[in-house]
Amino acid sequence: MEVIILPTREKANLLAAKLIAKELRAKPHLVLGLATGRTMERLYHLLGDLYRENTLDFSLCRTFNLDEYIGLPPANPYSYRHYMNEHLFHRVNIDLRNTHLPDGMAADLEAACRHYEAMIAECGGIDLQLLGIGADGHIGFNEPLSALRSRTRPKALTPGTIQQNAPLCGGEANMPKRAITMGVGTILEAKHCLMLVTGGSKAKVLAQAVEGPITSMVTASALQLHPHCRVIVDAKAGAELQGKDYYNWIFRNEPEWAEYQELWEE
Ligand code: GLP
């Protein structure tokens, strides 16, 4: 795992956008795993800017989202399909037929989950999986005690997650209580993982995920097992990391980060 701490939220977003753009330019058929949530909005808008500046082409890119609420049709403004259309897909030249989210409206949810896993496999697996982190340390909707080898499945949300995400759903009354999510095992199979975490409210859980023990109580901690996982954070989210000085030293000195040094300056 590599942790990169940047001074501001904007710079953390810029680095994440640059890293995604680099992978997409290197492989136009990239299979991109996508995440939702407030954290990702600015990042998606930056990717939209790169497309408008003619420096990024999504025409061959294929995407799989981590999760979708059960019971919200795609047209529902609180569905993750709607979120993705609004924040990314309608801003770039992606072919909507190449964009996938779990089918939270399926009559047979288990079959829909198996189908989702099969589609990912047919595409050759996810090249780059983008991740945020929930207040309880979840990735996707892998709530505490999710098996670290779990696959795509329906999952009950915790009361804390319902409360955390309710503002994005117009309040708790509209907020679904269940979702389909890729499993932790599914996520760990992505070739590269990129977690973006910003804001002081995530500082404690981020430190648990990155520097604490690997535990199903904080499913993001399973990323410690991943051979190529980058965690990009702003100073506020990184405030409780014990190894800050070392992570900063790596970013300042390792040749792979040389081209991004301008982001370091305040
Ligand atoms: C939801 C999503 C997660 C996301 C989390 C954080 O729970 N399922 O993938 O990481 O929200 O959201 P926010 O960025 O709004 O804090």
Side-chain angles (χ1 to χ4, degrees), residues 3 10 14 28 30 69 136-138 172 207:
V3 181
E10 181 66 4
L14 276 167
L30 195 75
Y69 290 119
D136 62 5
H138 69 217
E172 272 192 39

Side-chain angles (χ1 to χ4, degrees), residues 9 34-41 65-69 80 83 129-136 138-143 157 161-162 164-165 168 175 179-181 195-198 201-202:
R9 178 186 297 252
L34 295 172
T36 50
R38 282 154 285 215
T39 310
M40 300 299 150
E41 290 177 12
N65 264 77
L66 285 167
D67 43 23
E68 176 59 284
Y69 290 119
Y80 280 170
Y83 170 104
Q129 177 66 56
L130 183 61
L131 298 157
I133 190 170
D136 62 5
H138 69 217
I139 44 176
F141 272 129
N142 290 286
E143 299 286 40
L157 307 181
T161 295
I162 291 169
Q164 186 204 340
N165 288 356
L168 298 175
M175 172 75 196
I180 292 180
T181 180
M195 184 157 80
L196 175 64
V197 185
T198 53
S201 66
K202 301 279 177 71

